[in-house]
Structures are given as C-alpha cells and as structure tokens.
Amino acid sequence: MNAADLGLPVDVPSTALFTDQYELTMLQAALRGGTADRRSVFEVFTRRLPEGRRYGVVAGTGRVLDAVENFRFDAGVLGFLRERGIVDEPTLAWLADYRFGGDIWGYPEGEVYFPGSPILRVEGSFAECVLLETVILSILNHDSAIAAAASRMSAAAGERRLIEMGARRTHELSAVAAARAAYVGGFSSTSDLAAGFRYGIPTVGTSAHAFTLLHDTERDAFRAQVDSLGRGTTLLVDTYDVAEAVRTAVEIAGPELGAVRIDSGDLLLVAHRVRQQLDELGARDTKIVVTSDLDEYAIASLAAAPVDAYGVGTQLVTGSGHPTCSMVYKLVARAESADPKAPLRSVAKKSLGGKLSIGGRKWAARRLDADGVAEAEVVGTGPVPVGLADRQLLVELVKGGEVVAREPLEAARERHMAARAGLPMSAIQLSRGEAVIPTEYV
C-alpha cells in the first residue's frame, strides 16, 4: 500500500519546489536557446558504495513515482517564482502546463545495486527531465541509505524481529520515509503511527519509563498496563531493579506475559539473567525485547543472547553512519536537435578527482555462476548479450508520463530478501570490504 492507494495528499501543495534554483534557470536558458525540447536520457547511479559496504539497496522508488505525479506548478508556486524573479514570464507560462510526459525505467524497489548500476533512467525532453533531478535524488539517497542499514541489521538479526523506533531522532517527515525504507530492508514493524497509516506497516508500542515513574510503585504501573492492554503486553523492566521488576511482572501478568523490554545496561549479561529468571518463574514463553542505541554490530554481538526482538532508532534513521548513498543524476545521452526522430548521442562529463561519468543509454544485468549466485553486475550501452537477456534488471516504471509499476510495499520487501539471498555469502559480513561483486562494462 502507498500514499496513492490511500488517497492521501502530499505534505505540501506540490512537489515542484523540491528542487534547486539552477534547474529552473537552466530551463529558462534552454527554452530561450531552442534546446529545451531535445530528447534526453538522464541516469541515477553512484560511483562508489559507502566505505565498508558490500552492496546497496534500492528504496524510495514508490515515493519517487508519487513525487513525479505531484510535480505541478500551481498558482501559489508560480506566484512565488514570479515574486522572487527566479525565472521570466515565458518560463512561468511553460511551467504552468508542466506534466512529466516521458518514460522512467529503474531497478525495482528492494533490488540491490553496485557502483555504476543505472538505478534509474529518466527519458524525455531535456526540459521535463532536468527539473526532476533534486527530488529524485533526495528521495533515493535518503531511503536507500536507510534501507541499506536496515538490510545489514536484518542480516545480523537472522530470524529475530526488528522494530523501527527512530521517529524522535530525525525530522518528522524523514521519520515516515525512514520507517518505510526500513520495512523494505527487513524490519517487521514501526513505532511511527504516520508510517503505519500511510504505508500499511505494522505498528507496535506499549509504554516508556515515564509511565512507570508516573505511578507510586512499579507494581501499580505494571498492574495498570496489564489491566488496560492485557497479559500479552510488553512490560519495561529496567526503570529501577531489573530482577525485582521481572518478578513483579510475572506475578501480575502470570506466565502469559507477552514480553519484557530491556533498555539499558550490559544487554548480553542482563538478557541471560532475565531469561533464566523468566524460565524459573514459569514464564518460558515470555519474549525478551532489547533496545538502547543498537546498530548492526551491537545486534550481531547479541547473537548468542536469548533475545527475541530488537528495537532500533538513532543508528537506523541516520543510515548507521552513512546517511546518503552519494547517488547522482547525470545526462548520458541527448538528441542533436529537437526533431523527435533525431538519433541520440552519448555525452559524459570528463573530470579529474574521480568524477568521471560513462555516457550512453544503459542496460544492466546480473550474471550468475553455475550455482545461481551473483558473480557480476554487467552494464552496457549496446546490444544485450543473449546469455543475459533474461537477467536484465531495469523495469518500466513510467510510460508516457503514466505510472505503470505501482506495487504493494510488501513486494519490495520480499524482493529485497530474495535479492540479498542471491549474493555471495560474504555480502552479509559486517567486516569492511569492497562491493561483493564487480561491475563490468561491455
């Protein structure tokens, strides 16, 4: 489910101002110079993965489709541009009728990517494509960074559940996007109700330390929570003395107590002690949830602990040290005239300092070894080799301005699990290393 399915509006009158001013000044100059209608191909890619990462995760595609549909210059937006003198009247007239009418192809959401992968390809006139650069990059860079962190955490967690709970650690709208991206990357639920409402993600939550401190005794707090939410609730047991809290929790809720949550201390040691105590008290089915500023390394360190679920906040919504993917949006081909039949010509920036680009409208395929495990990301501009024809990665997302590839968020989540499983086993190692498979250009 997505925002369009729910009939929800975007959070601003339009997404048209989610852009940089130079997109509009380039448009004005291109309109005046007669090059605005030249057929063009832009591609989104990254030259490198964040340091130490073995693969990237495509996330935010569904939000990109919503943003493109809502990229409209309404009266208020046009008035702002006119008042500031950002563009001239002919450009304002052109913007008033703006609707993206081109085609967009891309890696489907949840797929993995590598340096040089043509993650998204936007085709149309220069004018209509250039305006979308910033909004596309802002969505894909943020969401893919969160999804990559989530994927590493879910790999470290194995079969144990992961709860996204980082809303209070980031911008309120970023929190919703982060919860969505985390779900794609393998998390099972979120504490953020806006994310649950907007995207259908399962939501969870019971109580914080403030609820315990509100009451005269911890027993009173536990009794009030169990009376309200039932014996299957999760009780927070580290406000005062953990052992005493666990004993009190089982006395009040009985062996049907759903779970206890530990939010501080030596989690490995405390989890073992709590598990032993629960078992001795007869609450063998009561689960243990741990929180407290976890990341993928902390989760991996708890693999031997009797933990059933992890709640992750700050490290997740900040990309676990890598809050962006350094994706760029580059013109790779353009026609030599505005004639719709004019052939495309490859173009590329030539620069020092590692910013070289490869021109040409690209395809991508993943080559597998004899065991069906990925061994290379193959990117090319010519004919697709016969052996890779059925392994192509880009799918059509928008055709003639119309979205053609909306899907439930669950589909992206399942796709990611399958894509990650198809990589070499070293992909999920947390030790630093290069991309798990090479990118080959043909």
Side-chain angles (χ1 to χ4, degrees):
M1 184 177 293
N2 56 40
D5 294 333
L6 293 170
L8 295 173
V10 291
D11 300 294
V12 293
S14 81
T15 55
L17 292 184
F18 289 163
T19 191
D20 289 297
Q21 181 167 319
Y22 78 172
E23 313 293 2
L24 299 187
T25 54
M26 282 192 288
L27 168 66
Q28 177 176 308
L31 288 170
R32 184 171 298 184
T35 54
D37 291 332
R38 287 188 176 185
R39 189 159 57 101
S40 300
V41 180
F42 287 83
E43 288 177 352
V44 175
F45 63 93
T46 185
R47 297 182 176 93
R48 64 192 65 84
L49 296 176
E51 183 181 357
R53 296 291 169 88
R54 306 296 182 90
Y55 61 92
V57 181
V58 178
T61 308
R63 296 209 307 123
V64 166
L65 298 180
D66 290 342
V68 171
E69 279 194 333
N70 287 287
F71 205 90
R72 304 283 188 269
F73 292 83
D74 58 26
V77 171
L78 293 170
F80 165 78
L81 297 176
R82 179 178 290 110
E83 178 185 341
R84 295 291 182 92
I86 292 172
V87 290
D88 59 20
E89 286 299 326
T91 305
L92 290 171
W94 189 93
L95 291 172
D97 295 326
Y98 178 84
R99 300 289 186 276
F100 179 74
D103 303 327
I104 299 178
W105 290 69
Y107 281 37
E109 190 159 19
E111 184 57 84
V112 296
Y113 71 86
F114 300 92
S117 296
I119 297 164
L120 200 74
R121 188 175 72 223
V122 182
E123 304 182 29
S125 71
F126 176 83
E128 63 183 335
C129 295
V130 74
L131 295 181
L132 299 177
E133 174 181 3
T134 300
V135 70
I136 287 176
L137 288 179
S138 65
I139 292 172
L140 292 181
N141 268 313
H142 173 269
D143 290 24
S144 297
I146 306 305
S151 179
R152 285 163 60 86
M153 292 174 188
S154 70
E159 298 300 316
R160 297 172 177 178
R161 293 185 301 111
L162 286 164
I163 306 163
E164 185 282 314
M165 47 195 306
R168 66 194 63 190
R169 299 291 188 247
T170 188
H171 185 280
E172 66 271 21
L173 299 183
S174 296
V176 181
R180 183 187 184 281
Y183 191 71
V184 171
F187 276 58
S188 59
S189 57
T190 179
S191 65
D192 192 280
L193 290 177
F197 174 67
R198 187 161 302 197
Y199 298 116
I201 302 169
T203 58
V204 296
T206 50
S207 68
H209 292 103
F211 186 75
T212 301
L213 296 170
L214 168 69
H215 293 79
D216 295 334
T217 68
E218 193 169 50
R219 179 178 294 274
D220 290 342
F222 287 176
R223 171 61 65 191
Q225 184 174 330
V226 170
D227 287 347
S228 174
L229 302 178
R231 297 176 184 272
T233 191
T234 298
L235 295 175
L236 180 59
V237 296
D238 72 328
T239 305
Y240 304 118
D241 179 85
V242 173
E244 181 61 30
V246 171
R247 186 177 303 110
T248 302
V250 176
E251 285 179 8
I252 291 173
E256 297 86 7
L257 174 62
V260 295
R261 179 163 74 93
I262 306 166
D263 187 50
S264 59
D266 183 336
L267 297 179
L268 179 62
L269 175 63
V270 175
H272 277 287
R273 288 178 174 174
V274 168
R275 182 72 271 163
Q276 180 179 354
Q277 186 180 11
L278 287 170
D279 291 348
E280 291 173 350
L281 293 171
R284 295 183 177 277
D285 294 328
T286 298
K287 308 298 183 184
I288 297 176
V289 180
V290 295
T291 52
S292 186
D293 207 25
L294 300 176
D295 62 10
E296 60 265 48
Y297 300 101
I299 291 169
S301 73
L302 292 168
V307 171
D308 299 285
Y310 305 94
V312 190
T314 303
Q315 293 301 317
L316 175 65
V317 299
T318 57
S320 195
H322 297 290
T324 181
C325 301
S326 298
M327 294 178 186
V328 294
Y329 182 95
K330 296 297 182 183
L331 181 66
V332 297
R334 52 90 173 167
E336 297 186 359
S337 72
D339 184 344
K341 297 181 180 180
L344 288 174
R345 170 186 172 187
S346 296
V347 295
K349 174 182 178 180
K350 293 184 178 180
S351 173
L352 300 176
K355 285 194 171 184
L356 282 174
S357 300
I358 298 175
R361 182 180 185 273
K362 300 174 192 67
W363 53 264
R366 191 161 298 144
R367 191 173 69 238
L368 309 181
D369 65 16
D371 296 318
V373 178
E375 65 176 12
E377 193 88 337
V378 185
V379 177
T381 57
V384 180
V386 175
L388 294 175
D390 62 348
R391 299 296 308 168
Q392 293 190 72
L393 293 163
L394 279 80
V395 299
E396 193 169 30
L397 302 172
V398 176
K399 183 176 183 179
E402 297 295 326
V403 174
V404 296
R406 276 211 168 83
E407 62 181 6
L409 191 59
E410 190 69 35
R413 188 172 187 269
E414 292 174 359
R415 180 181 296 114
H416 176 61
M417 295 299 106
R420 190 178 69 189
L423 297 176
M425 291 186 65
S426 58
I428 61 173
Q429 291 179 346
L430 296 182
S431 57
R432 293 187 179 277
E434 300 299 320
V436 72
I437 61 174
T439 302
E440 299 178 359
Y441 294 96
V442 298

